[in-house]
Amino acid sequence: MATVKLSAPASQWVGGRKSLGRGPSVRPSFRRVSVPVVRAGSYTHELVQTAKSIASPGHGILAIDESNATCGKRLASIGLDNTEANRQAYRQLLLTTRGLGEYISGAILFEETLYQSTTDGKKFVDCLHEEKIVPGIKVDKGLVPLPGSNNESWCQGLDGLASRCAEYYKQGARFAKWRTVVSIPSGPSALAIKEAAWGLARYAAIAQDNGLVPIVEPEILLDGDHPIERTLEVAEDVWAEVFYYLAQNNVVFEGILLKPSMVTPGAEHKDKASPETIAKFTLKLLHRRVPPAVPGIMFLSGGQSEVEATLNLNAMNQGPNPWHVSFSYARALQNTVLKTWQGLPENVEAAQKALLVRAKANSLAQLGCYSGEDENEEAKKGMFEKGYTY
């Protein structure tokens, strides 16, 4: 039970006693009123356990929750049409990789994938369970223009979210993801930051109320030529707002995961930061803004090359942290996999081996043990796309 301090009303009655004309002033007294705080209810214990299991040593998240349109772009890069059969074939390759659970503890799925099965009829959710990987689900409905802003966006999807989360839970999902973005070249405006923070907080509260651990993801886009100091300044403003509204919405911090951007210079900045510099600025942000009650920080790669994302994560794990500092990568786990596969059945085994290589590399980085040796040139290629949509 929380307590709230209430001031006495302005009247002749002060502290329950009548004021006597112009006599000595009497300081108003305060009374404590018990106000019930509603939290995640019957799911609280399960939420905390799910978050802990995902944030386990040497493990991170495989993000394969690209929309059908974005997945189509990936398939087009290897000459495949954007059909449900091709999307299913690619995701089957990823989700049936034997041994993946040694490095991956959670997989974020798109709604289509959550309900799909392999060509042999096994549900993808069951494939994940066999590897002890927790299924997750993307629940936002994408970005749209934010009226009154500097050409910025807001994330839609709160309407009907509770019923969708309840259905996803029945289908086997145990955590959720909601991605909103903040653009530094666009300001960002106070309106855009507040909208991003409030939307994330409402989503998180609704997800927890329906048994799903919410991944909270306000992505600071890499677009721009700003220095790393500017990224840190904006990120601090964003995360201050996010945690303020999370608290206002009574979100259980022990039952959430964060998916932030690393603090880097803008992609078009003239100077490239070292992994050590990125780690220094990113950890500074986390220590200033993230309560230690939060179990896991699962970084997004945001267009970094596969090797860059791994080296930066490794640099952040060279000393003890109050949270599990790990990864939730999409392109930084899949780029080499996709190019190895090329849509050919005879390449599936080689592509799965490539996935295990990247998953193991990031597992080692989470433990602070990644060396970067023997990486191929493909893994070193950057994947930044200006104005990237998911």
Side-chain angles (χ1 to χ4, degrees):
M1 302 288 281
T3 57
V4 177
K5 202 177 278 187
L6 299 176
S7 300
S11 74
Q12 64 176 338
W13 288 91
V14 181
R17 302 180 65 179
K18 191 171 182 179
S19 174
L20 301 177
R22 296 182 175 223
S25 61
V26 180
R27 292 187 65 181
S29 65
F30 299 92
R31 60 192 179 92
R32 294 185 177 273
V33 179
S34 295
V35 178
V37 176
V38 180
R39 295 193 182 275
S42 60
Y43 289 109
T44 300
H45 178 73
E46 181 182 345
L47 293 167
V48 172
Q49 292 306 309
T50 298
K52 283 183 178 178
S53 70
I54 295 172
S56 57
H59 288 74
I61 293 174
L62 170 64
I64 54 171
D65 58 316
E66 301 92 343
S67 66
N68 288 346
T70 301
C71 189
K73 293 178 183 178
R74 307 272 171 84
L75 295 173
S77 72
I78 58 170
L80 292 183
D81 292 333
N82 186 14
T83 64
E84 182 178 354
N86 284 337
R87 294 193 299 269
Q88 178 195 34
Y90 178 53
R91 285 160 173 164
Q92 179 171 321
L93 181 161
L94 298 170
L95 299 177
T96 60
T97 299
R98 291 188 179 277
L100 189 61
E102 189 174 343
Y103 316 113
I104 300 295
S105 52
I108 313 173
L109 310 177
F110 191 61
E111 185 177 61
E112 176 183 77
T113 316
L114 181 67
Y115 291 91
Q116 278 180 330
S117 301
T118 67
T119 50
D120 293 332
K122 180 185 287 187
K123 292 180 181 178
F124 281 149
V125 168
D126 292 335
C127 295
L128 291 172
H129 287 158
E130 287 183 0
E131 287 287 334
K132 294 182 170 53
I133 297 173
V134 181
I137 178 70
K138 170 185 166 73
V139 299
D140 68 77
K141 293 295 183 180
L143 301 170
V144 293
L146 176 63
S149 70
N150 301 326
N151 295 316
E152 295 161 290
S153 62
W154 67 285
C155 189
Q156 57 188 347
L158 289 177
D159 288 350
L161 179 59
S163 59
R164 295 201 313 275
C165 285
E167 288 302 314
Y168 297 149
Y169 184 92
K170 290 178 184 177
Q171 187 63 18
R174 289 298 179 269
F175 71 101
K177 178 196 138 177
W178 177 286
R179 174 186 180 257
T180 194
V181 302
V182 172
S183 172
I184 292 179
S186 295
S189 67
L191 173 63
I193 292 176
K194 183 174 182 178
E195 174 60 42
W198 177 255
L200 284 165
R202 289 303 306 137
Y203 138 75
I206 292 167
Q208 286 192 338
D209 195 50
N210 289 278
L212 302 181
V213 169
I215 287 183
V216 177
E217 181 183 358
E219 179 176 354
I220 313 295
L221 295 173
L222 283 176
D223 304 54
D225 59 2
H226 49 276
I228 195 169
E229 291 82 4
R230 175 59 177 156
T231 308
L232 176 63
E233 179 184 21
V234 170
E236 287 182 340
D237 288 346
V238 170
W239 281 104
E241 289 280 290
V242 167
F243 274 102
Y244 172 78
Y245 286 118
L246 287 173
Q248 288 287 301
N249 282 274
N250 297 313
V251 171
V252 179
F253 287 178
E254 293 86 350
I256 67 173
L257 296 168
L258 304 188
K259 186 172 178 175
S261 317
M262 297 179 190
V263 179
T264 68
E268 297 158 292
H269 190 261
K270 57 184 176 63
D271 297 324
K272 189 176 179 66
S274 68
E276 292 72 26
T277 299
I278 290 171
K280 174 186 173 182
F281 277 82
T282 304
L283 290 175
K284 183 182 291 186
L285 165 68
L286 297 182
H287 282 286
R288 287 177 174 176
R289 290 293 182 265
V290 181
V294 175
I297 316 291
M298 322 300 284
F299 282 102
L300 58 90
S301 56
Q304 301 176 74
S305 75
E306 291 177 333
V307 171
E308 280 179 326
T310 309
L311 284 170
N312 292 338
L313 178 62
N314 186 71
M316 280 184 263
N317 282 299
Q318 294 307 300
N321 292 306
W323 333 264
H324 175 79
V325 175
S326 192
F327 61 93
S328 177
Y329 294 163
R331 288 174 285 174
L333 282 172
Q334 297 180 51
N335 189 51
T336 299
V337 177
L338 191 63
K339 293 182 177 180
T340 302
W341 177 47
Q342 292 294 315
L344 301 174
E346 59 267 30
N347 291 343
V348 167
E349 184 177 350
Q352 290 179 329
K353 287 181 179 178
L355 176 59
L356 289 174
V357 166
R358 292 261 48 89
K360 182 178 180 180
N362 286 290
S363 170
L364 290 171
Q366 197 289 310
L367 298 170
C369 301
Y370 172 72
S371 67
E373 296 176 359
D374 302 321
E375 290 282 13
N376 62 45
E377 290 305 310
E378 186 62 46
K380 297 177 183 177
K381 293 181 180 178
M383 294 174 280
F384 169 72
E385 294 179 33
K386 193 170 184 176
Y388 179 72
T389 56
Y390 207 70

